Amino acid sequence: MPAFYRSTWFPYVLPFLLYLTLIQAEEFLPQWHHHLYGARVFLCAGFLWMWRKHYGRDISGRPTTRQYLYALLAGALAFALWPLSLHLGWITLIPVQSSSYSFAVSILLLIIKLSGFIVVFPIMNELFWRSFMLRYFISADFRSVDLGQFQLFSLLGVTVLSGLAFQYGIVLGGVSLIMSLLLIWQKNLVSCIVAHGFTQILVAAYVMMNHAALF
């Protein structure tokens, strides 16, 4: 039996666990928010790059123009859950806090955070939830399961767990359901990454227009 760090699931799970751990650390160390957020971005990006060949089969498919359009529509639909949840009072926006950093440092931090929020974290989440967990619920030998294979237990399991894993569980569970249905329909993980990234772009623009804290 191979060591656990040589298992096929390890490159999917480790970045996600580090991501969750650092989110929890921010709850107890808010004064280290920028440092821990930066660590999230660089560690996740580093591991994704290191194991890029491991994910090659997952992201080898290139969506058609129509699939890209449907991915953007799915991303817009997922984004709509956020203002709807605000309207219903399920979540609240946090006002922006004044920064003690210089303008240049503030811009650099914003670039790092947006890069993680829009690029790194959507890729990591889609690899974990859609490529790994959605198939692992069907079979422990998840690589033997085709991307986007439908099973009701798997779909519901990923939806519920993705909601429980984070704050704003109802919203993120709904976003996860949309992304899972998109994968089941299109059988293409790149479409899910595009949709998720587009959702994040819209969320970032929305909260910044409302002068709220995004991160």
Side-chain angles (χ1 to χ4, degrees):
M1 183 176 180
F4 72 92
Y5 54 83
R6 294 179 181 173
S7 300
T8 54
W9 52 263
F10 191 71
Y12 297 88
V13 174
L14 181 62
F16 186 76
L17 287 181
L18 285 172
Y19 176 77
L20 281 185
T21 301
L22 291 172
I23 287 177
Q24 294 304 311
E26 288 183 39
E27 295 289 325
F28 297 98
L29 299 168
Q31 69 275 22
W32 287 84
H33 164 72
H34 296 298
H35 304 79
L36 292 171
Y37 196 100
R40 265 198 279 161
V41 174
F42 288 110
L43 283 174
C44 289
F47 281 119
L48 291 177
W49 177 258
M50 183 177 71
W51 282 316
R52 63 192 183 280
K53 293 182 179 179
H54 191 87
Y55 312 126
R57 288 173 53 192
D58 305 333
I59 57 176
S60 59
R62 290 294 174 264
T64 63
T65 301
R66 179 173 292 184
Q67 286 178 321
Y68 274 120
L69 290 175
Y70 282 130
L72 295 177
L73 286 174
L77 178 61
F79 159 72
L81 296 176
W82 290 95
L84 175 62
S85 299
L86 279 168
H87 178 72
L88 295 174
W90 293 347
I91 61 176
T92 56
L93 290 179
I94 303 171
V96 172
Q97 301 293 323
S98 59
S99 174
S100 58
Y101 295 107
S102 67
F103 178 76
V105 173
S106 297
I107 292 297
L108 178 61
L109 288 173
L110 182 62
I111 291 172
I112 292 172
K113 290 181 175 183
L114 286 175
S115 298
F117 191 71
I118 294 171
V119 180
V120 178
F121 300 155
I123 294 174
M124 180 210 65
N125 273 286
E126 292 309 310
L127 284 169
F128 178 77
W129 291 114
R130 250 58 66 186
S131 180
F132 171 59
M133 286 299 296
L134 202 62
R135 294 190 287 174
Y136 190 79
F137 272 119
I138 299 174
S139 171
D141 182 17
F142 69 97
R143 285 291 185 91
S144 67
V145 180
D146 293 333
L147 275 172
Q149 182 171 321
F150 173 73
Q151 186 195 78
L152 183 59
F153 174 76
S154 172
L155 177 64
L156 295 179
V158 167
T159 301
V160 171
L161 285 181
S162 57
L164 293 175
F166 301 103
Q167 190 182 15
Y168 309 135
I170 295 177
V171 181
L172 292 177
V175 171
S176 180
L177 178 61
I178 291 170
M179 300 304 159
S180 295
L181 291 173
L182 181 65
L183 180 64
I184 290 168
W185 176 32
Q186 295 194 352
K187 316 295 183 187
N188 194 312
L189 190 69
V190 176
S191 293
C192 296
I193 293 172
V194 170
H196 199 150
F198 187 56
T199 298
Q200 301 292 76
I201 290 173
L202 295 177
V203 170
Y206 180 79
V207 297
M208 292 173 73
M209 286 175 60
N210 284 277
H211 306 289
L214 176 59
F215 313 99

